[in-house]
Amino acid sequence: MTQTDRSLPFVVNLAQTMLLAEREAVGITPASIADRVKLAADILKTVYPDGIDQDAATMELIRRFSHWIGKDSTLQDSEGHFAWLVAARKKDWRYWQRYQSWLERKMSVDVVEALNDSTDHILGLLEDPKREGAWDRRGLVVGHVQSGKTGNYSGLVCKAADAGYKIIIILAGLHNNLRSQTQIRLEETFLGYETSANRDPGKPLGVAEIDSDPKIHPHCATTRADKGDFNAAVAKHFAISPEERPWLFVVKKNKTVLTQLLKWIRGHVADSKDILTGRRIVTNLPLLVIDDEADNASVDTGEQLIDADGKPDDEHQPKTINRLIRSILHSFDKKAYVGYTATPFANIFIHRKNATTEEGTDLFPQSFIINLAAPSNYVGPTRIFGLRTPEGRIGGLPLMRTVSDQINENDTGGWMPPKHNKEHAPTYMGQDVLPPSLRRALGSFVLACTARALRGQGKEHSSMLIHVTRFTNVQKEVYRQVEDAIKKMALRLKRGIDSESLIAELKVLWDDDFVPTAAEIAAIVKEPNGLPLIVPQWAAILAALPETISDIKIKMINGSAKDALDYSEQQEQGLKVIAIGGDKLARGLTLEGLCTSYFVRTTRMYDTLMQMGRWFGYRPGYVDLCRLYTTEDLVEWFGHIADASEELREEFEAMAESGATPKEYGLKVQSHPVLLVTSPLKMRAAKSLHLSFCGDLLETIAFYKDDAKLDHNLEVANKLIAAMGKSSEIDPSRKRAGVDQPWKGFLWSKVPADQIADFFEAYSTHPKARKVNSRLLAEFVRSMSKASELTSWTVALIGGGTGDAFEFNGGLVLDGMLKRSANPENKDRYSIGRLLSPRDEAIDLEDVAWSAALAATVRAWKPDPARQKDGVDPLPPEVPNGPAIRRLRGKGADGVAPAPERGLLLLYALDPKQAGQDVFPERKKPIIGFGVSFPSSDSGVKVEYKVDHLLWEQEYGSAE
């Protein structure tokens, strides 16, 4: 490291301190930042006489001060809880203070302050560790994938230790690599020292740079080594007392480890016995358990029976990991459990009343669920894949590259077919070589590393992910082929032997892919200084290629601690690594500086896909160099993920605004019609799912191409129109905030439920419609009407498009069929982005109701960078969103009576001529789609959806 490199953090921190002190008077602008950097450099020039890179320091501060974080959203239940966290309790906190100061060396003060607020909020929802008597708080913190959850719970650990929690257990994944990575992070953020084999403090690191006082050293029962987990040998030498400093345990979710930990707690820590059962318990030490990736392994997938009185079966045997976690918690009188995950649905499916005498209550987050907002530089699903709109999917980044050559045309063989066993030998066109798409992906990674070096990021970590199989033997073959390809590429580039064709191939990739993609992204993503990222010239790339490729290492991720240690040990020069793995790569382990992903796994489970998506995260200064090589099918499924994630966050925020509890959200999610959120086992529904559509918006976005089926659905719509008779309104119009909002089309009021149910029963939904199953909708409407809800419907037939007019039976002429462009990648069906225009869901709301729904939307709104369009200020919404509209319909508001009987059915006639090139070359009659908006309800009515597990596996893949 040069002296200039060493000087950078000191100049930055000194300039940042000056800027913060003068913030009110001077303001923070690029000019004021440059001015304070110059002043800091002048002050420090005697310390660093060989030079200080003022430009680099200025850019770093501009980046820091351009970042912001939105506000978290919370559902909470305060039953039995006492508010306790006040400023006076925080006065002498040292663990948090040093972590905060350490973070401010690397991050914007505003971002650190947002973390301070967030962790205060979480800790405050737990119990005061000094509170007398028994207490139990259980919560869930939901963050975005790769968005900094570890940084959040590191802050929570620091504050919990400051507040008086004495035993802190981190449940860190299933494999040694993630456990070791978590241990290393907590050594930096909480312990302040490197753990050693004898568990004594080793060399200072991380927060010890701020405060290394040995008097506050926390104890740690685990180390960063591969065999550093808690075990029987360690347990023999440990004894603790309440006077001592806090104890940290970073352990795997492993039967042997957790059994030893439970045995140690009961044998060495417990100070009392339960009078009724004789179970040994700890009454004097408060426990905090943090469960990282809380939906993985922690959830009891066995189905516990609940009787008619809501009493759980005490004979139930929970699955092993769940049983051990619960038993550890049940061994303490004073305990708090906080799960962290990006995919919380399995946790929310936990039955709230599950309990057994031996293990205590299940892990349902009954006290709180918190949705963390992401920092503004986070690149998440909606940023990468965009969101559905009536104009198609928009707003995504052009980073995807389609892969199809890993299989033969018949889908049964090839380099990596979807179905293969552990004996599979990957070959392309009968040869022991990589397919062209993976060779291109390797070339992309080499070019990305080279471009990053030319941008001054050569000492940053750069990673490539190859995730194509879960079988270790097959991964070894992939490793061998990739290693051979990189070696040959390196030899050709370094020695110039037979290099012309390779250089020509890489130049085409640079000129035809990287250069235009960088230009496209520059128009979307705004850098903190407002300037586009520099795109190096090919001559500079070519000159730097040999050195870059020499530094690239190839690794198999096999679950060992070394997977995590390599990044830590090569912090100074930066690691360039191609990581090949399967399930042990899929969860938790952070691939630092991930640039290129080659991903062809076939599972379509919501949570499994989300967790496999390691490419979400932070890409400062190189997002335009990132590439995701995957299949058309998986691009579509990740699009579903982006949509469902957005939908569920909006629903969460609407419920948080209305004061709902985790229990109410649990009931909502347990009946959510997105059947793909998690595996059937985790949903505790081995045979069937019970669905409710209350509070949901469903719309058809996939249609048959077959004329006979389309004509059938048109006839079904004609029958409904005939049955409803004369419309209540033609070209309806509503006044909103003093402005008329007109629609073209027809509107019917007070349509009976039977007519709506008959329509759903007869309509033929496409199997790829995913959420929309017309038979289930018919059954649901009939069931709800028996409960005196959804009895009186509003139906609208929407026109006003740019297509031809169409006359329905009975002479009803719709002025202008609507245009919805087809997704050309889905050849087997007519697939669109969104059917509804968002304003249509409010078509039947009068001014007072519309204003009330808007007010609820604004109250619930929180700017969230993970959903923010680049370059657009986070302004409050000007129209009500769907969750607020549906909640208002079902539950009312001030001045608006609830109307749970009023469902809304929207009919759309889509113009086949405007679907896209050659989708419907002959058809003239419309394609009928529908949207249905169900008001919120507490009726509890559900319909049963039978799950055939064989068909589920064939359609969605295994959850693995």
Side-chain angles (χ1 to χ4, degrees), residues 157 168 275 358 390 495 539 620 654-655 662 697 841 862 886:
V157 166
I168 300 170
I275 297 172
E358 188 61 28
R495 297 185 180 179
M655 295 187 83
L697 171 69
E841 201 176 352
K862 291 179 175 63
R886 299 188 289 276

Side-chain angles (χ1 to χ4, degrees), residues 226-374:
D226 207 47
K227 295 183 179 179
D229 211 335
F230 193 81
N231 56 54
V234 172
K236 288 180 184 176
H237 305 292
F238 275 163
I240 65 173
S241 67
E243 293 77 30
E244 292 195 24
R245 297 185 292 277
W247 277 88
L248 176 70
F249 301 75
V250 182
V251 298
K252 291 192 302 293
K253 298 182 199 180
N254 171 279
K255 178 183 177 182
T256 302
V257 172
L258 294 178
T259 299
Q260 288 297 336
L261 183 55
L262 176 62
K263 185 178 176 182
W264 175 75
I265 288 167
R266 289 177 171 172
H268 294 83
V269 188
D271 62 332
S272 186
K273 280 188 178 180
D274 183 274
I275 297 172
L276 296 177
T277 64
R279 181 173 47 83
R280 290 184 60 75
I281 54 175
V282 183
T283 63
N284 59 338
L285 298 176
L287 167 74
L288 171 62
V289 173
I290 290 178
D291 189 352
D292 196 7
E293 307 293 347
D295 61 316
N296 191 27
S298 303
V299 176
D300 180 15
T301 56
E303 189 166 4
Q304 182 173 0
L305 299 175
I306 308 292
D307 66 21
D309 298 322
K311 186 178 178 183
D313 174 18
D314 198 45
E315 299 299 310
H316 172 66
Q317 295 291 314
K319 298 296 181 181
T320 302
I321 302 301
N322 174 269
R323 172 177 60 79
L324 289 165
I325 295 171
R326 287 164 59 184
S327 297
I328 288 169
L329 286 162
H330 203 38
S331 298
F332 287 78
D333 266 357
K334 310 169 193 288
K335 65 249 188 183
Y337 168 91
V338 184
Y340 277 77
T341 183
T343 48
F345 306 105
N347 307 79
I348 290 164
F349 285 123
I350 296 169
H351 199 290
R352 297 170 312 290
K353 294 184 179 178
N354 278 7
T356 56
T357 301
E358 188 61 28
E359 293 83 19
T361 56
D362 210 339
L363 302 178
F364 180 79
Q366 59 194 14
S367 303
F368 61 86
I369 304 173
I370 293 174
N371 259 346
L372 294 179

Side-chain angles (χ1 to χ4, degrees), residues 738-751:
V739 178
D740 286 326
Q741 264 189 27
W743 280 263
K744 288 288 185 181
F746 303 86
L747 189 139
W748 292 262
S749 300
K750 299 181 180 177
V751 178

Side-chain angles (χ1 to χ4, degrees), residues 1-265:
M1 181 181 280
T2 67
Q3 191 180 75
T4 301
D5 292 329
R6 284 195 297 271
S7 70
L8 187 62
F10 296 97
V11 174
V12 167
N13 288 327
L14 179 56
Q16 179 170 272
T17 302
M18 289 189 282
L19 285 161
L20 291 170
E22 301 169 325
R23 187 176 206 156
E24 296 299 320
V26 178
I28 296 176
T29 65
S32 66
I33 289 172
D35 183 57
R36 295 307 178 273
V37 165
K38 184 178 184 306
L39 183 55
D42 288 342
I43 294 170
L44 293 170
K45 66 184 177 184
T46 56
V47 182
Y48 300 105
D50 292 344
I52 292 170
D53 190 340
Q54 294 186 36
D55 288 343
T58 301
M59 280 303 302
E60 169 62 16
L61 283 168
I62 289 173
R63 182 187 65 79
R64 287 190 189 184
F65 282 108
S66 67
H67 291 169
W68 57 279
I69 298 183
K71 296 291 185 184
D72 302 341
S73 301
T74 306
L75 297 174
Q76 66 187 78
D77 188 339
S78 297
E79 184 178 350
H81 174 61
F82 295 110
W84 64 279
L85 187 56
V86 294
R89 282 296 298 273
K90 300 171 65 176
K91 188 171 55 177
D92 300 319
W93 284 7
R94 293 178 68 181
Y95 295 121
W96 166 252
Q97 286 299 335
R98 67 178 187 170
Y99 180 47
Q100 181 181 33
S101 299
W102 183 70
L103 287 177
E104 285 174 355
R105 289 185 170 187
K106 305 181 293 180
M107 298 165 64
S108 144
V109 173
D110 291 340
V111 170
V112 177
E113 188 55 36
L115 177 64
N116 182 26
D117 292 343
S118 178
T119 47
D120 264 6
H121 182 52
I122 299 167
L123 182 66
L125 289 172
L126 303 180
E127 214 53 64
D128 182 352
K130 296 181 180 178
R131 177 181 162 184
E132 294 296 323
W135 41 262
D136 184 356
R137 295 288 286 174
R138 307 200 180 193
L140 185 67
V141 177
V142 182
H144 302 273
V145 174
Q146 299 283 290
S147 66
K149 296 185 294 296
T150 310
N152 188 283
Y153 71 64
S154 291
L156 180 61
V157 166
C158 291
K159 289 183 175 181
D162 278 322
Y165 279 90
K166 293 297 183 183
I167 298 182
I168 300 170
I169 298 172
I170 312 292
L171 303 171
L174 300 178
H175 305 295
N176 286 330
N177 56 7
L178 180 54
R179 195 206 69 79
S180 181
Q181 186 178 67
T182 305
Q183 176 89 34
I184 291 168
R185 285 293 301 276
L186 285 160
E187 288 172 10
E188 292 177 337
T189 60
F190 174 54
L191 296 176
Y193 59 85
E194 183 177 319
T195 49
S196 59
N198 63 4
R199 271 61 178 176
D200 290 333
K203 70 177 183 183
L205 48 76
V207 291
E209 296 169 13
I210 307 298
D211 183 352
S212 58
D213 184 354
K215 292 178 183 176
I216 65 167
H217 271 168
H219 300 291
C220 190
T222 52
T223 79
R224 60 169 60 189
D226 207 47
K227 295 183 179 179
D229 211 335
F230 193 81
N231 56 54
V234 172
K236 288 180 184 176
H237 305 292
F238 275 163
I240 65 173
S241 67
E243 293 77 30
E244 292 195 24
R245 297 185 292 277
W247 277 88
L248 176 70
F249 301 75
V250 182
V251 298
K252 291 192 302 293
K253 298 182 199 180
N254 171 279
K255 178 183 177 182
T256 302
V257 172
L258 294 178
T259 299
Q260 288 297 336
L261 183 55
L262 176 62
K263 185 178 176 182
W264 175 75
I265 288 167

Side-chain angles (χ1 to χ4, degrees), residues 823-898:
N823 181 344
E825 294 177 354
N826 298 325
K827 303 285 193 292
D828 62 330
R829 61 195 184 276
Y830 171 34
S831 174
I832 64 174
R834 283 205 69 179
L835 180 67
L836 272 71
S837 174
R839 76 186 193 111
D840 293 348
E841 201 176 352
I843 193 170
D844 62 336
L845 295 187
E846 298 300 335
D847 191 19
V848 173
W850 186 89
S851 297
L854 175 58
T857 301
V858 171
R859 286 195 302 271
W861 174 81
K862 291 179 175 63
D864 186 347
R867 293 148 54 181
Q868 196 68 38
K869 291 181 180 177
D870 288 285
V872 178
D873 290 331
L875 298 173
E878 297 179 348
V879 294
N881 65 14
I885 291 169
R886 299 188 289 276
R887 200 163 186 82
L888 175 119
R889 271 209 196 91
K891 303 198 171 185
D894 289 342
V896 182

Side-chain angles (χ1 to χ4, degrees), residues 278-581:
R279 181 173 47 83
R280 290 184 60 75
I281 54 175
V282 183
T283 63
N284 59 338
L285 298 176
L287 167 74
L288 171 62
V289 173
I290 290 178
D291 189 352
D292 196 7
E293 307 293 347
D295 61 316
N296 191 27
S298 303
V299 176
D300 180 15
T301 56
E303 189 166 4
Q304 182 173 0
L305 299 175
I306 308 292
D307 66 21
D309 298 322
K311 186 178 178 183
D313 174 18
D314 198 45
E315 299 299 310
H316 172 66
Q317 295 291 314
K319 298 296 181 181
T320 302
I321 302 301
N322 174 269
R323 172 177 60 79
L324 289 165
I325 295 171
R326 287 164 59 184
S327 297
I328 288 169
L329 286 162
H330 203 38
S331 298
F332 287 78
D333 266 357
K334 310 169 193 288
K335 65 249 188 183
Y337 168 91
V338 184
Y340 277 77
T341 183
T343 48
F345 306 105
N347 307 79
I348 290 164
F349 285 123
I350 296 169
H351 199 290
R352 297 170 312 290
K353 294 184 179 178
N354 278 7
T356 56
T357 301
E358 188 61 28
E359 293 83 19
T361 56
D362 210 339
L363 302 178
F364 180 79
Q366 59 194 14
S367 303
F368 61 86
I369 304 173
I370 293 174
N371 259 346
L372 294 179
S376 56
N377 57 334
Y378 175 68
V379 180
T382 57
R383 288 280 296 280
I384 289 183
F385 296 100
L387 288 173
R388 288 185 302 125
T389 72
E391 291 75 41
R393 187 169 292 282
I394 62 170
L397 299 176
L399 305 178
M400 272 77 70
R401 301 295 178 266
T402 302
V403 169
S404 59
D405 57 5
Q406 87 285 1
I407 54 174
N408 291 337
E409 287 187 7
N410 58 10
D411 287 5
T412 57
W415 186 74
M416 201 63 64
K419 302 291 183 185
H420 61 268
N421 59 29
K422 63 182 180 180
E423 308 302 328
H424 174 68
T427 60
Y428 176 72
M429 303 293 284
Q431 297 182 43
D432 182 20
V433 295
L434 299 173
S437 60
L438 184 45
R439 292 203 302 273
R440 275 195 303 277
L442 293 173
S444 289
F445 179 60
V446 173
L447 290 171
C449 291
T450 307
R452 289 194 72 191
L454 293 171
R455 284 178 177 172
Q457 296 185 338
K459 293 182 180 178
E460 304 289 334
H461 297 309
S462 293
S463 301
M464 177 178 180
L465 157 72
I466 299 176
H467 191 172
V468 295
T469 178
R470 64 190 177 95
F471 297 113
T472 304
N473 287 343
V474 185
Q475 289 168 28
K476 288 177 181 175
E477 291 299 299
V478 175
Y479 174 91
R480 180 182 56 78
Q481 291 181 344
V482 169
E483 185 180 46
D484 182 60
I486 289 291
K487 277 183 177 177
K488 287 177 178 174
M489 195 185 295
L491 279 172
R492 292 166 71 186
L493 287 172
K494 286 189 289 186
R495 297 185 180 179
I497 302 170
D498 189 28
S499 61
E500 292 84 358
S501 61
L502 173 60
I503 290 171
E505 191 179 312
L506 290 172
K507 186 176 189 304
V508 168
L509 187 58
W510 180 258
D511 290 341
D512 293 356
D513 185 335
F514 280 83
V515 173
T517 300
E520 196 174 342
I521 287 179
I524 304 170
V525 178
K526 302 302 179 191
E527 288 299 301
N529 61 356
L531 300 174
L533 292 167
I534 295 168
V535 182
Q537 296 297 310
W538 171 250
I541 293 284
L542 181 58
L545 274 172
E547 184 177 323
T548 299
I549 200 166
S550 300
D551 291 336
I552 291 175
K553 307 285 189 292
I554 298 121
K555 289 188 58 171
M556 265 188 66
I557 301 297
N558 55 24
S560 76
K562 192 161 178 8
D563 299 337
L565 285 168
D566 278 356
Y567 287 122
S568 173
E569 291 169 353
Q570 300 199 42
Q571 201 72 43
E572 296 295 321
Q573 66 269 30
L575 183 69
K576 295 178 180 65
V577 63
I578 297 172
I580 299 165

